[in-house]
Amino acid sequence: MTGIEDPFWRAVAVFRVASLGYAALLLIRAGGYAHPVTGWLVIGVMALWTVATIFAYSVRELRGRPLLAADMLVTVGCLLATPAVQGAYQQGSLPITGTWMGGAVLAWAVYGGRRLGAAAALIVSLADLWLHGVPGGGFEVLPINGTVLLFLAGVVVGHVARLAKKAEERMQQAIELEAAGRERERLARGIHDSVLQVLALVQRRGQEIGGEAAELGRLAGEQEAALRELVRLRPEASALGTADLCALLHRYGSATVTVSAPATPLTLPAATAAEMAAAVGAALDNVARHCGARAPAWVFAEGDGGLVTVTVRDEGPGIAPGRLEEAAAAGRLGVAQSIRGRIADLGGTVTVISDPGRGTEIEMSVPAGEEDRPVGTEQP
């Protein structure tokens, strides 16, 4: 499969070939410089390396820092061979490599982005500046224009290449999500036509018969509600190590637990989303333990700027003042570790609001940085 980087590498290859021809033309027009044999030897090395890099960069497995380092060493070596070809430096003349020395800068930029491109431009520029300064006994004439062009090429090409890579990753993620969505819809249709219909029938008949059948019908109703919620979920955004917190929270939905979340995904790093969902699960376990298995509970999720907040609310007996501290001192760390500990490790905060006889509300908030800002939130 052809990647988005391949056109960039082909463009670098074309640049190398064209620059090699230009360097050979300069050598011919200059009459071979002071040492034509040495000049043609350097051009030969450049030609061999051009062929080698065209092949090497076309193979994804070979692209890497060793190849980039070798590319830079050969480029700088050919550049520094200029005095051996041209003799004393003449004002306004180009090095033996001509524009060919820019090929390594472009390769570094395509591979590593604008920072690596700028680093490559700095290395080549320093070699070029040294070359122009040393033979004359000082930096009388500095190739500032060439240095600026190298930096512009490295930064701009690196930036465009990195944007193209990100666009390809997002497109691949969208394709995977679309395929997963179509498969989920297909499975949902089959489940709706079979399993859900049977569970609904068991629930209805159990209520009609009464007795133990009524309890069986109630359980079937709860499973039907949970299964309907499951097939309704959006697939998680697994690409780039992220996950949709909304999808994780909807798994807790049942006949007694109501989950309310935004229509757009709350995308967080996968580990952060998993830990936050686990904290919500611990809060719901406390509801079932202290309020009863059939006690209703509500889960609310929202993303506000750089903050993601999930609230778990119940209508149970509430928590007496100081009760959480007493439980922690006695070694019962359900809230202290399973909830507060998890959220604290994520850099977030937990607020518990409760009065005896008025239920409990646990609000958990974690920060969302620039890389993990919830989808749908506008950035400044």
Side-chain angles (χ1 to χ4, degrees):
M1 179 180 178
T2 301
I4 196 69
E5 282 189 359
D6 292 342
F8 286 95
W9 292 116
R10 287 195 291 269
V12 174
V14 171
F15 174 83
R16 288 180 185 273
V17 173
S19 297
L20 177 64
Y22 180 59
L25 181 61
L26 290 177
L27 183 62
I28 294 173
R29 291 185 58 184
Y33 294 116
H35 307 283
V37 175
T38 305
W40 285 112
L41 286 176
V42 174
I43 293 294
V45 171
M46 292 165 53
L48 291 175
W49 187 246
T50 297
V51 174
T53 53
I54 290 175
F55 169 75
Y57 284 122
S58 66
V59 180
R60 293 187 181 184
E61 291 75 13
L62 296 180
R63 299 173 193 164
R65 296 188 182 274
L67 179 58
L68 293 172
D71 195 3
M72 182 59 67
L73 288 175
V74 173
T75 299
V76 172
C78 292
L79 177 63
L80 296 181
T82 298
V85 177
Q86 297 180 355
Y89 171 74
Q90 297 180 2
Q91 183 176 347
S93 64
L94 288 174
I96 180 63
T97 57
T99 58
W100 186 83
M101 61 183 179
V105 176
L106 296 179
W108 279 44
V110 171
Y111 179 82
R114 56 181 180 270
R115 292 183 180 179
L116 209 56
L122 177 63
I123 296 173
V124 176
S125 297
L126 288 177
D128 196 28
L129 290 173
W130 179 86
L131 182 66
H132 283 73
V134 170
F139 289 88
E140 292 89 353
V141 181
L142 298 180
I144 299 300
N145 291 336
T147 299
V148 172
L149 289 176
L150 282 175
F151 271 95
L152 286 176
V155 172
V156 172
V157 172
H159 183 64
V160 173
R162 182 55 55 89
L163 289 179
K165 292 177 186 177
K166 289 184 177 180
E168 183 183 34
E169 291 172 350
R170 292 182 180 275
M171 181 179 296
Q172 183 62 31
Q173 178 183 2
I175 292 174
E176 292 175 356
L177 291 176
E178 183 181 1
R182 288 197 300 267
E183 179 63 15
R184 181 175 294 272
E185 291 176 358
R186 185 186 68 81
L187 293 175
R189 289 193 296 268
I191 292 173
H192 180 271
D193 295 339
S194 57
V195 180
L196 293 178
Q197 297 291 349
V198 173
L199 290 175
L201 177 61
V202 172
Q203 180 187 20
R204 185 171 62 254
R205 292 294 295 163
Q207 292 174 348
E208 293 174 355
I209 297 173
E212 295 183 358
E215 177 65 14
L216 181 61
R218 183 189 66 80
L219 295 175
E222 292 182 357
Q223 294 304 311
E224 179 195 6
L227 187 56
R228 286 186 185 277
E229 188 66 30
L230 181 62
V231 299
R232 190 184 65 84
L233 296 182
R234 296 182 301 271
E236 299 173 26
S238 58
L240 303 180
T242 61
D244 180 11
L245 180 61
C246 296
L248 296 178
L249 295 180
H250 275 300
R251 294 177 177 177
Y252 294 115
S254 67
T256 58
V257 178
T258 301
V259 179
S260 178
T264 56
L266 290 177
T267 304
L268 293 171
T272 300
E275 284 294 285
M276 198 164 190
V280 171
L284 292 174
D285 288 341
N286 284 338
V287 173
R289 184 179 302 110
H290 299 290
C291 304
R294 300 184 184 180
W298 293 266
V299 178
F300 304 93
E302 60 180 345
D304 182 14
L307 204 65
V308 174
T309 301
V310 179
T311 303
V312 179
R313 185 180 302 165
D314 65 66
E315 295 180 345
I319 304 175
R323 184 71 183 90
L324 294 179
E325 289 74 12
E326 293 176 3
R332 296 189 295 274
L333 306 178
V335 174
Q337 293 296 333
S338 298
I339 299 177
R340 281 179 171 159
R342 277 193 172 100
I343 301 303
D345 289 343
L346 300 175
T349 58
V350 176
T351 302
V352 179
I353 303 174
S354 181
D355 291 316
R358 296 187 178 182
T360 302
E361 181 177 303
I362 301 178
E363 183 180 279
M364 297 164 277
S365 300
V366 296
E370 291 298 322
E371 294 299 327
D372 46 79
R373 186 179 298 273
V375 175
T377 301
E378 294 186 3
Q379 300 188 24

